[in-house]
């Protein structure tokens, strides 16, 4: 009788473990939100001159559509220098900026919809210096 009880216990435990691994394994990918990976300009960086656009990269394909993605690029005076709606392409977002954007500290605020349908958002800052050819020459040297 001892062996029979042990076999039943083993069978029950095996069934429970298999069931748990199937449930947890199936739920993990569906519950995972896409994550912000990188940007240009990078967070907390200082660049020479104002860029024509910024780019945001994520870990997965983003959901496009009207109003699904919003990007603001706020200068030190509080003005949004983003122009035109942002463009979503696969795992990246591109936002065009005003050609008249000044130098200084810029705050990028973004929100979009992850591939799993859930909203994600974040913000970071970067600094633009006045473009000088000396700074460009220095960046090419090293």
């Amino acid at each position: 009788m001892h062996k029979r009880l042990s076999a039943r216990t083993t069978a029950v435990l095996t069934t429970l473990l298999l069931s748990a691994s199937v449930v947890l394994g199936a739920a993990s990918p569906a519950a995972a939100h896409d994550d912000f990976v990188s940007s240009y300009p990078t967070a907390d960086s200082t660049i020479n001159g104002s860029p024509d656009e910024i780019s945001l990269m994520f870990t997965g394909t983003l959901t496009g559509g009207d109003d699904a993605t919003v990007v603001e690029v706020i200068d030190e005076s509080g003005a949004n220098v983003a122009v035109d709606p942002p463009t979503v392409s696969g795992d990246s977002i591109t936002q065009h900026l005003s050609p008249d954007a000044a130098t200084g500290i810029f705050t990028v605020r973004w929100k979009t919809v992850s591939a799993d349908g859930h909203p994600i958002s974040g913000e970071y800052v970067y600094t633009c210096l006045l473009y000088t050819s000396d700074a460009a020459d220095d960046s090419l040297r090293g």
Side-chain angles (χ1 to χ4, degrees), residues 39-51 103-106 124-131 135-136 139:
S39 63
Y40 174 79
T42 57
D44 302 317
S45 68
T46 299
I47 61 172
N48 189 29
S50 183
T103 58
I105 299 172
F106 291 83
Y124 69 93
V125 298
Y126 69 91
T127 303
C128 288
L129 301 177
L130 184 62
Y131 179 82
S139 69

Side-chain angles (χ1 to χ4, degrees), residues 5-97:
L5 182 61
S6 179
R8 275 191 212 170
T9 303
T10 302
V12 168
L13 288 176
T14 301
T15 302
L16 287 173
L17 288 174
L18 284 174
S19 298
S21 66
V22 168
V23 169
L24 294 175
S28 295
H33 298 306
D34 295 322
D35 291 320
F36 174 73
V37 176
S38 64
S39 63
Y40 174 79
T42 57
D44 302 317
S45 68
T46 299
I47 61 172
N48 189 29
S50 183
D52 295 333
E53 63 187 28
I54 63 164
S55 300
L56 308 170
M57 280 64 76
F58 298 84
T59 57
T61 301
L62 303 171
T63 302
D66 294 340
D67 301 324
T69 300
V70 177
V71 178
E72 297 179 327
V73 183
I74 310 299
D75 68 14
E76 290 179 314
S77 73
N80 186 1
V81 298
V83 295
D84 304 321
T87 303
V88 177
S89 178
D91 63 353
S92 67
I93 300 170
T94 302
Q95 176 65 62
H96 295 278
L97 304 180

